[in-house]
Amino acid sequence: MGSAVGERAWQPEVLRLNALCPYYTMFPVDFPLSVLPAARSDGWVLDPFCGRGTTLFAARLRGRPCAGIDVNPVAAALAKAKLVDIHAETVIGLCRRLLHCDAPRVEVPRDPFWGWCFHPDTLVEICVIRLALLNAPDTAASIALRALMLGILHGPLRPSRMYLSNQMPRTYATKPAAAIRYWERHELRPPRIGVLETVRRRARYSLAQLPRKVPGWVVQGDATEVLERCDQKFATVITSPPYFGMQTYLPDQWLRAWFLGGPPTPVYSAADQLPQGSQSQFVEALARVWRSTAAHCSPGATLVVRFGTLPSRSIDAEGLFRRSLSTADAGWQITSMRPAGSPPKGRRQADQFTVSTALTSEFDCTAVLSS
Ligand SMILES: C[S@@+](CC[C@H](N)C(=O)[O-])C[C@H]1O[C@@H](n2cnc3c(N)ncnc32)[C@H](O)[C@@H]1O
């Protein structure tokens, strides 16, 4: 059986869509699922820092309409895919058409990194799909294909033919110089991997069974700015703001960001990410988001936040978070605060990556909007 949180258990196939592609500090899906049955049974669910869209996927499993916002294009592309209703064969058909259409000659990045990372034939196919998707309107098929491509773009060589790249973690993209050193030292050449075959395998796996479609939307942008332009009302907000000290959401995903139209080198700017310069800057920016969410919620709405800091920043995460809520002064009243220790080790957000959770402080807070 799959996840058995709450009163319902899901077949494992239904949960596969959520695992299309990993993302830094992603929730385990059980976290938003555990919140949703206790929250109102109807009404829209919002995640203003939605990352790969785990909250949206949980809302979909519970039949709730939902919305997500994230400033990182990789996150937004993955989150959008959590809402699609599409048959695997349609996505495979789109991939085949794009590979075989008379596309203009694609430009292929020339730096040595690219020759080490991908077999030349694989790289041309990736570039053809990339260019076509950059020019394609958002449809269920293009959204699903884009997210599938992000998921298979890089990863380990074993088991074979799962990923398009030379040896690389699937969780983050190694920076070019370090990657080349590694490949040279281990004499690893990129295998020739067919994009269509890999998309076919992954689409049939990940899209085998989807939860029932729910109304929903995802916007790439700054949470406060997007909320200012939006007229949706929300009953439940479940989110996890950027961890204080975590500035690498984009540079660590630079290869996936390139696939979405970014430059062929890592970008280190943290443009539009919540400012991390000082604790007070961070608190102010977070407070603005809590204020904007309150403006889009009715009295009695629930806000559930998983919050953490990186071990390298030995600060009081709970204190920082409490300050952000009190600075917002928007009516969010804390009803519970507990360490995010409930999932077994290995299931916490930071455990998904290389961060030592022994030193990482993560906790869950529930607040209710007063009248
Ligand atoms: C802890 S992660 C969320 C992970 C998510 N819970 C998941 O399951 O994937 C925090 C997210 O906040 C996003 N973020 C940072 N600053 C933002 C802003 N100003 N507006 C919207 N999203 C922002 C980051 O890009 C990152 O994806």
Side-chain angles (χ1 to χ4, degrees), residues 23-27 47-55 69-72 75 221-224 239-243 249 272-274 349:
Y23 189 72
Y24 263 139
T25 58
M26 59 198 178
F27 291 145
D47 187 341
F49 302 107
C50 70
R52 69 170 185 164
T54 319
T55 296
I69 306 167
D70 201 293
V71 79
N72 183 339
D222 170 73
T224 306
T239 196
S240 174
Y243 281 24
Y249 284 104
D272 299 330
Q273 288 278 326
L274 236 50
Q349 274 175 235

Side-chain angles (χ1 to χ4, degrees), residues 89-103 128-129 132 141 196:
E89 299 310 313
T90 311
V91 182
I92 296 162
L94 174 64
C95 182
R96 186 185 299 109
R97 272 200 312 285
L98 297 183
L99 284 171
H100 294 147
C101 73
D102 267 343
V128 168
I129 299 281
L196 182 59

